[in-house]
Amino acid sequence: MDKNYYFTGIVSELGKVSTLELSLIDPGVYVMQIKIKNETFLKQITAGNHLLVNGVCLTVAEISNQTLEVHIWPHTQTITNLLQCKPGNYVNLEKAQTGARNQTRSCPLQV
């Protein structure tokens, strides 16, 4: 992924938490699996990409069968409320944008 990435703060998709459990590999790390129905959104994301989950920047660890997996490290656990998510809860998602932040994007005005 391009090192020049940023987020707009505009939610682009909803995901449904399918699991949130302690990692068996990394002590103290929680693994969250999020089910996504929108295949177009999923096709734009690969492992290693950055993704906002309820406003928290996380790295996508794995993607398979309409599910993406992110890891929530101990520091992130202490300063966010992500561990309060339960299976079945919906989370807001935004994929990282690449390029310069000061690029202007036109939005057509509809009257």
Side-chain angles (χ1 to χ4, degrees), residues 22-91:
L22 202 52
S23 171
L24 299 175
I25 300 168
D26 295 312
V29 175
Y30 277 81
V31 176
M32 178 184 283
Q33 292 185 333
I34 303 169
K35 189 85 167 167
I36 314 255
K37 290 183 181 178
N38 184 338
E39 288 189 31
T40 303
F41 181 82
L42 272 175
K43 287 179 184 177
Q44 298 171 1
I45 300 171
T46 59
N49 283 165
H50 301 288
L51 184 72
L52 284 187
V53 177
N54 280 357
V56 180
C57 182
L58 300 173
T59 302
V60 176
E62 188 177 315
I63 299 175
S64 65
N65 300 328
Q66 290 188 303
T67 301
L68 61 86
E69 181 178 292
V70 293
H71 295 176
I72 306 169
W73 293 87
H75 177 71
T76 304
Q77 295 168 29
T78 63
I79 61 172
T80 70
N81 64 358
L82 287 177
L83 292 187
Q84 293 177 11
C85 292
K86 306 281 186 250
N89 289 162
Y90 286 91
V91 289

